[in-house]
Amino acid sequence: MWFGVVSLFPDMFRALTEHGVSGRAVKQGKVSVSCWNPRDYAYDNYQTVDDRPYGGGPGMLMKIQPLEEAIQAARHSADQQPGKPAKVIYLSPQGRKLDQQGALELLQEDKLILVAGRYEGIDERLIEREIDEEWSIGDFVLSGGEMAAMTLMDTVIRLVPEVLGHNQSAEQDSFMDGLLDCPHYTRPEQYQGRAVPDVLLSGNHEKIRRWRLKQSLGRTWERRPDLLDALELNNEQQTLLTEYLNERET
Ligand SMILES: NC(=O)c1ccc(NCc2cccc(O)c2)nc1
């Protein structure tokens, strides 16, 4: 998968390209990340990349011309890559809320260009002209779109086939089945006087699968009932949730 990034702080993306699962995916060539900096397209002596807002008010906006040229340079590079035309995404609190389902949809794209805003954002006419979709990682304001862009990229990259590999497949992730994750345990068996649930030591993989599913259902019911409302539970899930809730009362 090909990612183009438009940002005043391209170095921030090293957090994604030089570390962990995403870093390995880039190193192995399964994912590519290229950056374009609007400052490289600011031709005045001060390399101005911000501009004052019409109508007054606090803060600045990103200057149109350097940003527009950086986006167009990213598009031009994307056009050299095989696959469907790039989808240009702007990260902002005004965008579509990102969730696991949205990440799966974005995974279907061959090329994504992510525009990270700074200051108070960008001119609406540039959004209308250059941006295909606005996305948000949550209802809060960050000082820039870079961390939102990296969040979106990471959640998509880990879904790219063969990035996680079979031993950590993304399907087992919580949210992949619309539920919260079950509790996890590792050595030692007794930790600070607390034991690992016996079922996990039993080696009975069917019992373990059912226990984990029951825990996910129970946790989701307790912590995020809204997620349950969006699900049609099958018979097994309904039975396990009922068991969990009955055990809870004891
Ligand atoms: N929730 C998000 O995805 C998100 C994205 C960006 C961002 N900061 C840059 C910015 C960009 C545009 C308008 C604006 O007000 C702030 N903050 C939060």
Side-chain angles (χ1 to χ4, degrees), residues 34-201:
S34 310
C35 295
W36 282 266
N37 186 341
R39 195 172 294 282
D40 296 333
Y41 300 88
Y43 305 117
D44 63 303
N45 293 341
Y46 306 97
Q47 292 196 294
T48 310
V49 290
D50 62 347
D51 212 339
R52 295 176 52 235
Y54 282 117
M60 301 288 276
L61 294 175
M62 294 186 76
K63 183 176 169 61
I64 288 184
Q65 171 269 321
L67 179 56
E68 181 185 35
E69 288 190 26
I71 293 173
Q72 285 171 351
R75 276 186 193 279
H76 180 72
S77 175
D79 292 346
Q80 320 296 314
Q81 311 297 322
K84 298 180 292 183
K87 178 171 280 188
V88 183
I89 287 175
Y90 178 53
L91 285 304
S92 91
Q94 287 71 42
R96 171 183 167 183
K97 190 76 71 58
L98 180 66
D99 58 14
Q100 198 66 24
Q101 179 52 40
L104 281 165
E105 289 175 34
L106 292 170
L107 177 65
Q108 307 316 311
E109 299 298 327
D110 299 315
K111 298 174 276 190
L112 290 176
I113 293 174
L114 301 170
V115 178
R118 281 273 157 174
Y119 313 113
E120 303 310 310
I122 71 179
D123 187 289
E124 192 63 20
R125 293 163 297 177
L126 196 52
I127 293 179
E128 289 161 2
R129 180 180 161 86
E130 295 288 348
I131 303 297
D132 297 316
E133 294 179 3
E134 255 181 288
W135 284 74
S136 168
I137 63 166
D139 294 332
F140 42 81
V141 181
L142 300 165
S143 43
E146 285 79 9
M147 285 192 275
M150 283 191 268
T151 299
L152 183 150
M153 292 164 78
D154 185 79
T155 196
V156 173
I157 288 170
R158 57 194 312 285
L159 295 174
V160 171
E162 299 312 309
V163 163
L164 274 187
H166 299 299
N167 60 345
Q168 303 161 272
S169 66
E171 290 79 53
Q172 259 65 48
D173 275 353
S174 75
F175 283 110
M176 286 310 277
D177 52 7
L179 297 172
L180 298 184
D181 210 0
C182 61
H184 296 285
Y185 300 83
T186 186
R187 292 178 301 176
E189 278 188 33
Q190 293 290 337
Y191 173 66
Q192 301 288 347
R194 296 172 70 89
V196 172
D198 289 335
V199 63
L200 298 181
L201 308 173

Side-chain angles (χ1 to χ4, degrees), residues 194-210:
R194 296 172 70 89
V196 172
D198 289 335
V199 63
L200 298 181
L201 308 173
S202 70
N204 180 330
H205 296 294
E206 175 54 15
K207 262 182 78 179
I208 290 168
R209 181 193 66 79
R210 283 171 57 83

